[in-house]
Amino acid sequence: MPELVFFSGTMDCGKSTLALQIEHNRSARGLQGVILTRNDRAGEGKLSSRLGLVTDAVEVEDGTDLYAYLVDLLSQGGRADYVIADEAQFLAEEQIDQLARVVDDLGLDVYAFGITTDFRSKLFPGSQRLVELADRVEVLQVEALCWCGARATHNARTVGGEMVVEGAQVVVGDVTQSADEIVGYEVLCRHHHRRRMTAASARAAALSPDVLPVQPA
């Protein structure tokens, strides 16, 4: 039976790499898929991983009807054996409903990849709808690590290396940005997310004589 599967995890845990691996495995067996993405780090119409792998994709816009897109493709003689949707957290709730309809009415497997919560630890609407509708939710087992070495469970937005908890839910950035760039992202454990302690602020604290006083011999 075809399925809607949601692969979730924090940033930097290999979601896009797995999406590309699924595409490679199926295309190597003669299957042809439709790859959807939105706001990928490599630019419009791309699915990329931090390992440097990249492939072309269909850029999803605000008003794109994904079910109608697939129906139109098939009715014009195109082929689609499965669908991959990367950065699925950025999709609208109605677009997730459309992907579920692709599974149920068109009989295609849909593999969606995305992070569950934003920098405020609030659910993305697209991810919430996927949790509600998916046949399976798979939490990726490649663990991203906080700067302290603990398992990273939260996504943080930084400005100048300092964690922020206010602002628009979607601001495109990257975990590879340096601390002095305007907007960056970092994965943290819950403890340090609650304390708003990023790698940059932790280094600053470690260098402070008020935090690490030097005791005379």
Side-chain angles (χ1 to χ4, degrees):
M1 295 291 292
E3 289 185 307
L4 172 59
V5 186
F6 179 33
F7 295 92
S8 69
T10 62
M11 296 180 296
D12 210 24
C13 74
K15 296 181 300 301
S16 296
T17 301
L18 178 58
L20 288 163
Q21 184 67 55
I22 287 176
E23 161 64 13
H24 170 76
N25 290 350
R26 279 155 181 72
S27 62
R29 294 296 178 266
L31 300 176
Q32 186 169 323
V34 171
I35 303 176
L36 308 171
T37 190
R38 181 160 194 185
N39 297 335
D40 189 271
R41 67 183 71 84
E44 185 174 331
K46 299 292 181 183
L47 190 167
S48 66
S49 79
R50 292 188 175 85
L51 297 182
L53 304 172
V54 62
T55 192
D56 292 330
V58 176
E59 185 74 17
V60 178
E61 305 293 344
D62 285 339
T64 304
D65 185 324
L66 300 179
Y67 178 79
Y69 176 85
L70 267 297
V71 169
D72 186 59
L73 173 69
L74 295 171
S75 65
Q76 294 187 43
R79 181 179 172 186
D81 298 309
Y82 58 92
V83 176
I84 289 174
D86 197 31
E87 306 293 356
Q89 73 273 6
F90 296 140
L91 299 181
E93 293 178 79
E94 57 267 26
Q95 290 172 324
I96 303 302
D97 289 327
Q98 292 157 11
L99 290 178
R101 189 179 178 192
V102 167
V103 175
D104 295 339
D105 293 359
L106 302 183
L108 303 180
D109 285 312
V110 174
Y111 306 102
F113 299 80
I115 59 179
T116 307
T117 57
D118 64 15
F119 69 105
R120 302 164 300 181
S121 298
K122 303 295 185 181
L123 286 168
F124 281 100
S127 298
Q128 178 176 332
R129 194 61 178 145
L130 275 165
V131 171
E132 292 167 348
L133 292 182
D135 297 292
R136 287 189 290 127
V137 177
E138 301 282 351
V139 178
L140 297 190
Q141 298 303 308
V142 178
E143 294 182 352
L145 299 179
C146 177
W147 60 264
C148 69
R151 178 174 178 262
T153 54
H154 288 63
N155 306 299
R157 179 183 295 169
T158 61
V159 176
E162 297 295 324
M163 179 176 158
V164 296
V165 294
E166 296 181 352
Q169 186 175 54
V170 179
V171 176
V172 178
D174 196 358
V175 296
T176 61
Q177 288 182 301
S178 61
D180 59 353
E181 294 182 60
I182 296 176
V183 177
Y185 287 92
E186 183 176 343
V187 289
L188 299 172
C189 64
R190 184 183 65 245
H191 174 70
H192 287 121
H193 191 277
R194 289 179 60 245
R195 298 183 65 182
R196 303 187 188 180
M197 185 172 287
T198 64
S201 61
R203 284 194 296 270
L207 294 174
S208 170
D210 295 329
V211 177
L212 294 176
V214 178
Q215 298 294 334

